Amino acid sequence: MKAVVFEKPGQIEVTRVADPTPGASDAILKVEACGICGTDLHLLEGDISSARYPVVPGHEFCGEVVAVGRGVANVKVGDFVAVDPNLPDGTCRFCRMGRTNLCENYSALGVTLNGAAAELVRVPSHVAFTLPSDLPRPWGTLVEPLSCAVHGFDQIGVRLADRYLIYGAGTMGLMLAQLARHAGSAGVDMVDKNPARFELAKRLAADRIADSANQFERPEGWDVVIDATGAVPAIEDGLRRVRRGGTFLVFGVASGEARVKFSPFDVYRDEIRIIGSMAVLNSFERALALVVRGVIDSEAMISHRFALDDYQKAIDTFKSGLGLKIQVAPSAPAAVESRLRAEAAAG
Ligand SMILES: [Zn+2]
């Protein structure tokens, strides 16, 4: 089969490798599409200590089951499935506490095991979840990133009529905003430095969006402030805008060296909760249900699709910050099939 292989940090090959064969509890999928995210970049740059090379990247994916091992009962040949790529060991202290996303021996498809930037991928069947046959197939790739956002909402502890302020109107910020709106928020405001993103954000979920929260009249602050940028200035600004008794969610991935300033006195006096959200925890099936129900506008979330041969172009497009979800797909034509949205193109 054809596959994208990270031979070692910094080296991408699109090459032929042996077809995967299923172990007793595995399924083999014919990959429909595979999204690209920051984790793929970190993997390519050698920033993930648990990674093994060579490795086929790709952890946001869906596909059709084409073979199963003899012990597999939950999926069958012909099923169309989305896959939770996270494979905690189930035995460490954190797994036993039910916090499997904090596993000390975390394994993941597309990071420590071969992923789905390929024609075929082998997955343990227990992480494959069946999608309705009439769902537009590329939408299945959105379940994984959405499941991270669902876990973020679990971390917040959602209340009706909370007011949200979200930094970053990229894919994750827009998913979070749509979930906030759906979750009965009293208002969703967004901050993004790129005005080209405003129109889509307003259409999908934002009551207001601006390049600075100073432009919003809200001196008492917001009940929930979410950073979906990982950028220090956004985090420092956001921490100052949490309402008394409110919550700040660290959702965006900052660099390991990043440091922010905040007032511990304010956190004390106003009883601010500052919480993190890492990957997925019992949120994959719920995210799948939300995609199926149309709670997020999946069509609007996917901006580009590239063939496997154009993986480097897909990475370059991702790095450019243009567009929203960028996919590679074995079935895509060799030439770039780009559906760059006007909102993004203007940026
Ligand atoms: Zn564990």
Side-chain angles (χ1 to χ4, degrees):
M1 68 166 178
K2 185 184 278 188
V4 176
V5 179
F6 291 175
E7 297 287 350
K8 59 186 186 200
Q11 188 184 343
I12 300 173
E13 304 280 350
V14 183
T15 183
R16 299 208 76 85
V17 301
D19 288 355
T21 53
S25 57
D26 296 331
I28 305 296
L29 310 187
K30 181 171 173 286
V31 176
E32 172 69 29
C34 175
I36 288 177
C37 94
T39 300
D40 300 304
L41 268 195
H42 292 307
L43 181 66
L44 181 58
E45 287 161 5
D47 296 338
I48 300 177
S49 59
S50 61
R52 281 167 218 152
Y53 301 89
V55 66
V56 177
H59 60 279
E60 298 179 3
F61 62 97
C62 59
E64 184 175 319
V65 178
V66 293
V68 293
R70 58 188 153 70
V72 171
N74 66 315
V75 294
K76 60 184 188 306
V77 170
D79 283 354
F80 187 59
V81 299
V83 174
D84 180 353
N86 302 290
L87 301 169
D89 68 358
T91 59
C92 77
R93 169 184 168 79
F94 296 99
C95 284
R96 288 177 190 276
M97 290 195 308
R99 301 188 70 173
T100 52
N101 60 330
L102 304 182
C103 175
E104 292 176 315
N105 306 296
Y106 216 62
S107 184
L109 298 165
V111 181
T112 60
L113 298 165
N114 283 341
E119 290 174 316
L120 299 168
V121 60
R122 172 173 48 215
V123 307
S125 75
H126 74 277
V127 292
F129 297 87
T130 307
L131 290 157
S133 57
D134 60 347
L135 189 81
R137 291 196 157 193
W139 294 10
T141 59
L142 298 175
V143 176
E144 198 278 339
L146 187 66
S147 70
C148 298
V150 170
H151 176 52
F153 274 78
D154 287 347
Q155 293 291 87
I156 292 166
V158 176
R159 270 186 323 196
L160 292 172
D162 272 352
R163 290 183 179 274
Y164 288 76
L165 175 63
I166 299 172
Y167 289 75
T171 310
M172 294 316 304
L174 290 175
M175 283 188 176
L176 290 158
Q178 289 171 87
L179 291 180
R181 190 164 193 88
H182 186 76
S185 65
V188 178
D189 294 325
M190 301 187 78
V191 175
D192 197 291
K193 292 290 177 204
N194 182 356
R197 290 174 162 176
F198 289 7
E199 192 181 325
L200 181 63
K202 278 190 200 157
R203 176 159 77 76
L204 295 182
D207 294 292
R208 300 181 292 185
I209 180 164
D211 62 4
S212 162
N214 288 332
Q215 297 185 38
F216 305 136
E217 201 53 49
R218 188 144 194 89
E220 70 274 37
W222 285 259
D223 303 294
V224 179
V225 178
I226 303 175
D227 176 64
T229 70
V232 168
I235 296 166
E236 291 186 337
D237 190 65
L239 279 165
R240 286 194 296 269
R241 298 186 191 268
V242 183
R243 188 183 205 164
R244 302 194 82 190
T247 299
F248 184 88
L249 179 68
V250 181
F251 187 89
V253 183
S255 91
E257 287 76 46
R259 297 291 181 270
V260 300
K261 280 188 188 147
F262 70 96
S263 161
F265 178 77
D266 289 351
V267 171
Y268 150 78
R269 181 198 56 203
D270 295 340
E271 292 200 338
I272 304 299
R273 290 196 309 147
I274 301 173
I275 55 178
S277 176
M278 210 288 286
V280 172
L281 179 62
N282 304 325
S283 51
F284 198 85
E285 275 191 286
R286 288 181 290 148
L288 191 156
L290 294 172
V291 169
V292 170
R293 183 137 192 263
V295 165
I296 61 161
D297 184 338
S298 295
E299 194 62 39
M301 292 287 97
I302 301 168
S303 63
H304 293 70
R305 177 180 271 219
F306 292 91
L308 289 179
D309 284 322
D310 292 325
Y311 192 85
Q312 182 66 57
K313 285 185 199 162
I315 287 281
D316 292 343
T317 306
F318 179 81
K319 280 187 182 169
S320 75
L322 288 175
L324 293 168
K325 261 300 161 197
I326 291 156
Q327 298 185 334
V328 291
S331 61
V336 175
E337 177 200 319
S338 167
R339 295 191 298 114
L340 179 55
R341 305 241 168 264
E343 296 95 333

